[in-house]
Amino acid sequence: MNNPFRYGSVVEGDFFCPRKDLERQLVGYAKSGQNLVIYGERRMGKTSLVRKAIGGLAGSKLLYIDLYYIRSLADFCQRVLNGVADVKDKEPFLKRAMELVSRLRPTLGIDAKDGTPVISIDERLADQPESLRVAMGAIEKLARENGLCVIFDEFQDILKIQENPWGILAEMRSMIQFQSDTPYFYLGSVRNDMLKIFSDPDSPFFKSALPFEVGPIDKVEFVKFLQRRFRDGGRLAAPEFLSKVIDFADGVSGDVQELCDALWERTVAGSGVGEADLPAAFDCIFARESAGFEVTIDRLTPKQLRVLRALAANPEAKVFSSDFMEEARMTNSGAMKKTIDRFVADRIVFLRKGSYRFFNPFFKVWIQERLG
């Protein structure tokens, strides 16, 4: 049997752990045209949840636009068109979209890997300021004609656009605010940046969307789901052990599923799955990810590496306390702040309830085991 766990991409069907209450709330907001800013830690399952809840909504199409790592207006316009090309029942939709962005000289092709439509645009035209109004205008008209729920994923990365991101946000808000029947859902995993956009009084998007937080899946329900998936794969896992797996990953569903995937790979049908299998499961994950871990380590100075090792050994530490400063051999609080800020900017750690946590818990274990 194929591995019954999925992670690292949108999870659908039997691979998705239902979250009925949240799904019901999202459907209600979408039907009423309510804009939402959807917070949640990375790999918490925000995208899968929203796509599951809204994907089958009668009378509405889902326009999903992934803004991860955009750096220019051309990137933004291309991502909008990527989302358009992915809309269900797309032939007339695609034709109309091509008409609406004709100023960007779109060309329609076919992806050689999976045969899906691909829209490309002239980057030189898309880098011009008016291209934003063309792209947003296309969304507005397509929504009015077809009924859309528009999802911007990793919305905080719009702040990384080189050409005046706050001006871009102001232009977007000026067009979105009059679309009262079209719900816009803004998903983000970098809380501080999302707060800048939606909670800073100087931001064009200040209080423009209702906050909606996606936290960990209910533990009891998640344990039942994981136990059932292991059983479908011919393995038995005790609820107590699965509860510890969830705790290790701080309830982050993507990390939980990744660890369960590795546990399944390192065990055989008809066996039990337990703590004795964790070292082999971690080795499985390290085999996949150690190259990336090593690249991260190679970019650090010896001083920064000392701090990172101290953080891995003391995940609940207060980084500016005298004990932690001594362990990391840091004598200057200014240098410590600069180092921590670098880790946050590189998405190595993030601040949660007063402590800095690793974005990737497996990186923390790898440091403990290989560099401790």
Side-chain angles (χ1 to χ4, degrees):
M1 176 185 174
N2 293 329
N3 196 310
F5 298 99
R6 288 285 187 278
Y7 66 93
S9 61
V10 174
V11 177
E12 300 175 324
D14 292 340
F15 297 101
F16 177 79
C17 181
R19 308 182 73 170
K20 296 298 184 183
D21 287 345
L22 294 184
E23 292 172 43
R24 190 160 41 246
Q25 291 176 50
L26 288 170
V27 168
Y29 285 130
K31 286 181 176 179
S32 65
Q34 175 65 56
N35 296 341
L36 297 180
V37 50
I38 302 178
Y39 298 98
E41 293 175 14
R42 29 74 63 204
R43 291 172 59 121
M44 193 62 80
K46 300 181 297 297
T47 304
S48 297
L49 170 65
V50 172
R51 291 182 71 111
K52 170 65 167 59
I54 308 302
L57 192 59
S60 179
K61 298 178 185 296
L62 188 154
L63 176 57
Y64 173 79
I65 302 166
D66 186 0
L67 299 183
Y68 180 66
Y69 214 76
I70 61 169
R71 292 296 183 268
S72 66
L73 265 177
D75 287 345
F76 179 88
C77 294
Q78 183 62 64
R79 299 297 180 85
V80 169
L81 271 295
N82 290 349
V84 167
D86 195 41
V87 171
K88 292 180 180 178
D89 307 320
K90 60 187 69 171
E91 189 170 336
F93 192 81
L94 274 177
K95 182 178 179 182
R96 178 62 174 143
M98 298 279 283
E99 293 171 355
L100 293 172
V101 297
S102 59
R103 289 174 59 185
L104 303 181
R105 296 180 186 170
T107 57
L108 183 62
I110 299 296
D111 190 300
K113 295 180 181 178
D114 55 19
T116 57
V118 177
I119 302 176
S120 300
I121 53 179
D122 188 323
E123 282 199 17
R124 293 168 299 177
L125 295 175
D127 260 332
Q128 301 303 312
E130 59 269 21
S131 65
L132 176 65
R133 184 161 285 273
V134 172
M136 293 302 300
I139 294 175
E140 179 184 5
K141 291 183 177 65
L142 289 169
R144 189 166 60 243
E145 296 167 4
N146 298 271
L148 292 179
C149 178
V150 182
I151 298 171
F152 282 112
D153 205 352
E154 299 296 348
F155 190 68
Q156 74 280 333
D157 278 9
I158 207 164
L159 295 177
K160 294 182 170 60
I161 291 180
Q162 298 166 0
E163 305 98 337
N164 186 15
W166 292 105
I168 289 171
L169 287 169
E171 183 74 22
M172 291 177 68
R173 176 70 192 279
S174 71
M175 301 182 72
I176 291 172
Q177 64 183 336
F178 297 108
Q179 301 177 45
S180 57
D181 293 330
T182 302
Y184 279 77
F185 289 0
Y186 309 96
L187 282 61
S189 57
V190 182
R191 180 177 291 271
N192 287 344
D193 286 347
M194 292 293 280
L195 288 173
K196 282 181 192 175
I197 296 172
F198 292 95
S199 298
D200 187 334
D202 293 328
S203 168
F205 270 71
F206 177 60
K207 289 190 174 181
S208 64
L210 189 70
F212 186 98
E213 184 149 15
V214 177
I217 299 171
D218 177 81
K219 196 179 205 180
V220 173
E221 292 302 316
F222 206 7
V223 165
K224 290 179 181 176
F225 169 81
L226 297 173
Q227 195 171 30
R228 183 171 65 252
R229 298 303 287 169
F230 271 116
R231 189 166 57 246
D232 291 345
R235 287 128 171 99
L236 298 177
E240 298 78 13
F241 170 66
L242 294 176
S243 179
K244 291 180 180 179
V245 168
I246 294 171
D247 288 342
F248 163 80
D250 283 334
V252 176
S253 54
D255 294 332
V256 172
Q257 292 239 30
E258 181 171 3
L259 183 49
C260 288
D261 168 278
L263 285 164
W264 192 91
E265 290 288 349
R266 286 296 186 262
T267 53
V268 296
S271 68
V273 180
E275 291 192 43
D277 300 304
L278 283 173
F282 285 132
D283 284 343
C284 177
I285 293 170
F286 296 159
R288 302 167 183 166
E289 301 191 26
S290 61
F293 295 162
E294 289 167 1
V295 168
T296 299
I297 292 298
D298 287 344
R299 290 173 177 167
L300 302 180
T301 66
K303 183 184 298 184
Q304 290 167 343
L305 182 54
R306 286 201 308 271
V307 175
L308 195 64
R309 289 170 63 187
L311 270 176
N314 303 277
E316 301 295 331
K318 305 299 182 185
V319 297
F320 297 106
S321 68
S322 57
D323 289 344
F324 186 82
M325 294 274 288
E326 182 178 351
E327 180 172 353
R329 288 188 283 154
M330 296 284 280
T331 57
N332 186 310
S333 60
M336 175 64 82
K337 184 180 185 306
K338 186 176 180 181
T339 296
I340 295 297
D341 287 347
R342 157 82 186 274
F343 293 165
V344 171
D346 289 349
R347 298 188 185 181
I348 298 173
V349 302
F350 66 100
L351 185 62
R352 181 188 184 195
K353 296 180 180 179
S355 299
Y356 286 93
R357 308 294 183 92
F358 279 75
F359 269 99
N360 187 336
F362 306 111
F363 186 31
K364 177 182 69 178
V365 177
W366 184 83
I367 292 172
Q368 292 169 344
E369 293 191 1
R370 306 294 168 90
L371 305 178

